[in-house]
Amino acid sequence: YIRISFKNRKKPYRSSIYTIMSKEEQIIRVLITGAAGQVAYSLAGLIACGMAFGPKQPLILNLLDLPEKTGAMEGLRMELIDSACPLLRDVIATSDPVVAFQDISYAFLLGGERRRQIDMKRYDLIASNARIFKDQGLCLDAFARKDCKVVVLTEPSNTMCYICAEYAPSIPRENFTANARLDYNRAVGQIASKLKVSTANIRNMIIWGNHSDSMHPDCSVASVVINNKSQRVSEILGEEMIYFRTQLSESIVKRGNEIITARGLSSGWSAAKAVCDQMRDWITGTPQGIMVPMTVVSDGSYGTPKEIFFTFPVEIQRGRWSIVRGIKMDEVSRSKIDSSGKELMQEKMAAVAEIGEGNA
């Protein structure tokens, strides 16, 4: 997918909207790989409109995909121009990773094989994507800023995030994450629908583990604000809570397959919006007492294997996340977390074997 080459590089497509930058403007350079795909189509527009980095942050958007996808990228570039987004200072569409990764401050890594069928196995995706993310890690290491923040969406996202971080050792591992916000948003949406409140009133929903069937959506400490009063969801539902918790978990795990069945494609717009939500919180931080899920490198918290990328509840201050400690869990949660940890270790070993090198 990406091979670094300094020879015979084609000139990238550039937009005609480039403007002279004042010294006061702190313009960031943002990369989207897999830019010809359906998620990127939504994500690029949301970023250009300020959904990820705020309504005052000017940016240059780099789009990267395969040479045969140049036409689709050019179409996206033209649509971005036609949208007249004031924050957008330039759009560069290219199939050259050297151009795409150069001096970027943020990377949304969508490039790779995506799940298109319900019966497509996770290990088929590992075989397809492990080398791609090794190459993207090498590109980040060689060309990106050393404070670059990276979000991985390509499945299996936790394991691809691990591979990418492993091959970009000059960038701190704390700067790598996979997107857990889609599962969180799905859960919050269903809780809000059940309680007939706005999603803005739901707080502290937890997602644990891998973005897979072993994922554990945990609403045991989730709360809802009704009439300016915060209550636990469990208090409102009472005896119904046990059934609802099981139903919610099954629903979130199956949601991706349901969307594929309905649309013939995996999640698009909702995935893009979730990525923006996660990046916005990563940059601006979370309010006191509010936690959000984030897939980050494990330090062994809650008995998880170290070094894998695992979804934990986190608090974020000044661009730095920290895992929330001391959350009590029952036997169901403990079992689910252990299962996800074992699954991620197996995926890691499979990805390392696929790359065929001992330093991953």
Side-chain angles (χ1 to χ4, degrees), residues 254-310:
K254 294 177 181 178
R255 192 66 162 187
N257 284 342
E258 290 174 348
I259 290 172
I260 291 174
T261 299
R263 296 187 67 231
L265 295 168
S266 58
S267 304
W269 194 91
S270 60
K273 195 265 184 183
V275 172
C276 289
D277 290 345
Q278 180 163 315
M279 181 59 76
R280 185 181 61 251
D281 281 351
W282 197 358
I283 294 170
T284 63
T286 54
Q288 185 174 4
I290 300 298
M291 54 188 174
V292 293
M294 196 167 176
T295 302
V296 298
V297 62
S298 171
D299 61 357
S301 294
Y302 297 99
T304 58
K306 292 183 178 181
E307 295 302 314
I308 60 171
F309 278 77
F310 196 93

Side-chain angles (χ1 to χ4, degrees), residues 7-153:
K7 297 180 180 180
N8 302 319
R9 302 211 314 273
K10 293 182 179 180
K11 185 178 180 180
Y13 290 92
R14 300 182 66 92
S15 78
S16 58
I17 63 173
Y18 186 81
T19 59
I20 297 176
M21 307 173 194
S22 68
K23 292 182 179 179
E24 289 77 18
E25 289 181 314
Q26 298 295 320
I27 298 176
I28 58 174
R29 190 177 293 270
V30 180
L31 168 65
I32 301 176
T33 71
Q38 64 153 345
V39 178
Y41 184 82
S42 297
L43 179 60
L46 292 174
I47 290 173
C49 291
M51 285 289 291
F53 302 103
K56 297 182 180 180
Q57 177 60 66
L59 56 92
I60 296 170
L61 195 56
N62 289 6
L63 307 176
L64 175 68
D65 215 312
L66 296 168
E68 56 266 32
K69 303 289 183 66
T70 297
M73 281 197 295
E74 174 63 0
L76 175 56
R77 185 190 70 83
M78 289 189 287
E79 286 211 60
L80 289 167
I81 295 170
D82 294 348
S83 297
C85 299
L87 299 174
L88 198 56
R89 296 294 187 267
D90 199 4
V91 183
I92 300 172
T94 180
S95 58
D96 184 351
V98 178
V99 173
F101 281 83
Q102 193 70 49
D103 296 326
I104 57 170
S105 296
Y106 300 91
F108 298 91
L109 303 184
L110 284 64
E113 181 71 20
R114 295 191 65 81
R115 188 172 59 143
R116 294 182 175 86
Q117 305 168 26
I118 293 176
D119 59 352
M120 192 171 188
K121 304 299 183 183
R122 290 180 66 82
Y123 285 89
D124 294 335
L125 290 174
I126 289 176
S128 300
N129 291 331
R131 290 184 179 276
I132 293 172
F133 275 82
K134 171 187 174 181
D135 289 342
Q136 291 187 98
L138 291 171
C139 288
L140 286 165
D141 197 57
F143 306 117
R145 290 171 55 96
K146 300 313 174 189
D147 60 353
C148 182
K149 283 182 166 61
V150 181
V151 181
V152 174
L153 276 80

Side-chain angles (χ1 to χ4, degrees), residues 180 183-184 187 205-209 215-218 252 293 311-313:
D183 301 317
Y184 170 87
M205 175 68 201
I206 299 174
I207 304 293
W208 299 100
M215 167 187 50
H216 180 39
D218 182 4
I252 301 307
T311 302
F312 294 100

Side-chain angles (χ1 to χ4, degrees), residues 194-210:
K194 172 71 174 178
L195 301 180
K196 301 187 185 310
V197 299
S198 166
T199 55
N201 292 21
I202 308 299
R203 298 173 180 174
N204 294 338
M205 175 68 201
I206 299 174
I207 304 293
W208 299 100
N210 194 6

Side-chain angles (χ1 to χ4, degrees), residues 214-253:
S214 72
M215 167 187 50
H216 180 39
D218 182 4
C219 59
S220 62
V221 299
S223 63
V224 57
V225 177
I226 300 177
N227 297 327
N228 296 319
K229 181 182 178 180
S230 179
Q231 294 178 269
R232 287 282 182 93
V233 172
S234 58
E235 294 174 356
I236 296 173
L237 293 180
E239 294 181 357
E240 190 182 353
M241 181 63 178
I242 296 175
Y243 171 75
F244 176 74
R245 186 180 179 188
T246 302
Q247 183 185 47
L248 179 69
S249 180
E250 292 176 353
S251 177
I252 301 307
V253 168

